Amino acid sequence: MILEIWWSSLAAADRDLLGMLDAGERARVESLERSADRGRSLISAAMLRVAVGSYLGIAPAEVVVDRTCAECGGPHGAPRIVSHGTPAPSVSVSHSGLLAVVALVPRGPVGVDVQRLGDLADPADGHGWATREAMFKAGTPERGDVVVHELRPPLPGYVAVAVAPAELEGAPRITHWPRPIPA
Ligand SMILES: [Zn+2]
């Protein structure tokens, strides 16, 4: 059991990735007005599929992602992986500025948050903000049940935190998708 962290940047946004997405994800990407928003939505949805597909040993396009909102039933909720047979991993996705991040654990609560410090009202509280967001996404578990992992974003000027089950062993495994971001 390990926490997997996948990083990507807007530089990876490419129309070819649309072929990996399901109809709802494509509609969401194409409904966004600003190209940066479309790019963030595209790489987040595609990287989630690549990460889960790699974990389950299936093609990214075969991954089934349920985004039903718990509040209203709309298609914009936190992603949940639907898997038949193999137990589905828990996932969390965040994007900000030029970066997108996916966190994956085999089971249990997980939350991840990345923030571009320049976008925050109080950049000095960036770590606290990201921690609160990640805890909220993990379902606000008891502190003893989870560990807060401070992540190192691949670009300067960002802060990122992941919350994952305390029972996981060792440091997170980091993947840069589709390749490391040039410094
Ligand atoms: Zn809703």
Side-chain angles (χ1 to χ4, degrees), residues 91-116:
V91 295
S92 182
V93 180
S94 180
H95 52 66
S96 178
L98 298 173
L99 294 179
V101 62
V102 167
L104 180 154
V105 296
R107 60 172 177 269
V110 68
V112 70
D113 192 64
V114 58
Q115 296 285 339
R116 181 161 60 185

Side-chain angles (χ1 to χ4, degrees), residues 68-77:
T68 306
C69 170
E71 303 276 315
C72 73
H76 51 251

Side-chain angles (χ1 to χ4, degrees), residues 31-133:
S31 73
L32 296 168
E33 300 230 327
R34 297 175 55 229
S35 66
D37 290 333
R38 283 198 299 275
R40 281 187 282 266
S41 179
L42 173 60
I43 56 169
S44 299
M47 179 166 61
L48 174 64
R49 288 175 168 279
V50 169
V52 174
S54 158
Y55 177 83
L56 291 175
I58 60 177
E62 290 171 15
V63 173
V64 181
V65 185
D66 179 2
R67 297 173 188 272
T68 306
C69 170
E71 303 276 315
C72 73
H76 51 251
R80 198 175 59 79
I81 305 305
V82 182
S83 165
H84 303 287
T86 349
S90 304
V91 295
S92 182
V93 180
S94 180
H95 52 66
S96 178
L98 298 173
L99 294 179
V101 62
V102 167
L104 180 154
V105 296
R107 60 172 177 269
V110 68
V112 70
D113 192 64
V114 58
Q115 296 285 339
R116 181 161 60 185
L117 292 171
D119 294 343
L120 295 175
D122 178 10
D125 183 43
H127 179 74
W129 179 283
T131 304
R132 290 189 293 277
E133 289 285 313

Side-chain angles (χ1 to χ4, degrees), residues 3-23:
L3 166 64
E4 291 190 29
I5 298 293
W6 290 64
W7 285 105
S8 191
S9 84
L10 269 186
D14 187 298
R15 288 197 65 82
D16 288 353
L17 297 178
L18 283 169
M20 260 186 222
L21 308 190
D22 67 23

